[in-house]
Amino acid sequence: MTSRAAADFARSCVPSVTSSGRRASLLTEDGVCLEAEYVPAAGAPHAAPDGPGDLVVVLAHGFTGSLDRPALRRAAAAFAQYTPVITFSFRGHGRSGGRSTVGDREVLDLAAAVRWARSLGHTRVATVGFSMGGSVVVRHAAEYRAAHKGRTGAHTDMVVAVSAPARWYYRGTAAMRRLHWVVERPLGRLVGRLGLRTRIHGIAWDPVPLSPTEAAPLIAPTPLLIVHGDRDPYFPLDHPRALAAAAAPDSTDLWIERGYGHAENAAAPELLERIAEWIRERA
């Protein structure tokens, strides 16, 4: 990568101030332009970070989400009570460019958002992902480990995977069978584009990316929190348990939440508050 291209990662290409924070466009390593927003901590609207050492949370939404969807905005507002927050739309979602690869190349999207966080002066970054975003934060932490921070600047310091799958190609629930139809069939992708506002890549993975369970043991010693609901309609409880079993026990926590459904859409304020407290304790 050229020095000019590297600088583009942290460049606010189209900066603007909104009612909640500062918008920017970010360029990924493979040249996809993403929409992103920086939300300052409550009580300091539109403020820049105070200086080195500041913590920031980067939120990674689920499939068909975006930074403007109400569920992600509620989550961002909840975390902003504790620390600044960066939200962004994965490729193929919202106003971001490209097409969704449903968790594969999205690792590069998260890396661009983390680089932007560090360019703003934050030296501690917690990545929090929901559903597809949960698989992305796990794989990102494995692929951009702290050992490489001098080379990439995109490593994370804490990882929270909420409602994340443990393995690929799971079709054991009706909800996942519907999702596979949307992703794999031409008519399904049309429905995704017109009905779900998500542009999906029509080419199968080649090669198949590292699964979340394969990536989990590579994260240590970075702290990992796995959160899953016992009423999740997409992934049953063997998914979070498999992730936790694969990860390093000394740096991994598993929360099974009674009555909780799936991802950011079902996340109650109390759950988001406890996750924020977990992050602050480990920061």
Side-chain angles (χ1 to χ4, degrees):
M1 185 188 305
T2 66
S3 59
R4 175 65 178 274
D8 284 341
F9 280 118
R11 179 179 299 166
S12 300
C13 304
V14 189
S16 62
V17 175
T18 70
S19 60
S20 59
R22 188 173 87 186
R23 291 285 178 105
S25 293
L26 308 177
L27 188 65
T28 69
E29 190 175 351
D30 60 343
V32 177
C33 192
L34 308 176
E35 62 172 351
E37 183 174 55
Y38 178 85
V39 180
H46 315 313
D50 293 332
D54 277 356
L55 171 68
V56 65
V57 169
V58 177
L59 294 182
H61 62 75
F63 184 61
T64 75
S66 76
L67 67 79
D68 281 323
R69 292 292 177 94
L72 195 71
R73 300 199 72 81
R74 287 195 302 270
F79 283 105
Q81 300 301 312
Y82 297 83
T83 184
V85 178
I86 285 177
T87 59
F88 66 96
S89 295
F90 280 120
R91 62 186 63 205
H93 293 74
R95 296 183 181 87
S96 291
R99 294 186 180 186
S100 173
T101 63
V102 199
D104 180 12
R105 306 291 286 179
E106 282 75 8
V107 169
L108 302 178
D109 303 348
L110 181 58
V114 173
R115 284 191 178 97
W116 186 41
R118 296 196 185 279
S119 79
L120 295 174
H122 295 287
T123 58
R124 291 177 294 174
V125 179
T127 51
V128 179
F130 300 91
S131 192
M132 180 188 77
S135 72
V136 172
V137 298
V138 172
R139 290 184 51 237
H140 167 268
E143 296 183 20
Y144 292 82
R145 292 186 288 277
H148 303 297
K149 61 184 177 182
R151 178 173 61 85
T152 69
H155 67 287
T156 184
D157 300 292
M158 287 151 283
V159 184
V160 182
V162 184
S163 305
R167 55 192 182 275
W168 306 135
Y169 306 113
Y170 178 72
R171 291 176 169 84
T173 58
M176 284 304 297
R177 289 191 288 274
R178 288 193 298 268
L179 186 147
H180 278 278
W181 181 83
V182 169
V183 171
E184 296 173 353
R185 302 292 183 90
L187 179 59
R189 291 192 291 273
L190 179 63
V191 170
R193 179 166 60 87
L194 299 179
L196 303 175
R197 292 180 290 173
T198 302
R199 303 173 308 280
I200 305 165
H201 206 293
I203 300 176
W205 289 339
D206 185 19
V208 176
L210 202 67
S211 74
T213 301
E214 293 169 324
L218 305 178
I219 293 176
T222 301
L224 169 64
L225 172 62
I226 301 164
V227 182
H228 212 92
D230 64 0
R231 294 189 180 179
D232 192 308
Y234 288 83
F235 306 113
L237 294 180
D238 63 305
H239 284 260
R241 288 168 178 158
L243 280 174
D250 292 342
S251 55
T252 303
D253 292 320
L254 171 63
W255 296 355
I256 301 298
E257 298 294 312
R258 294 186 60 185
Y260 175 42
H262 186 71
E264 62 265 44
N265 291 325
E270 296 80 9
L271 174 60
L272 299 172
E273 180 180 348
R274 285 196 288 119
I275 294 172
E277 290 287 357
W278 182 94
I279 291 171
R280 284 168 56 90
E281 289 173 1
R282 277 140 191 85

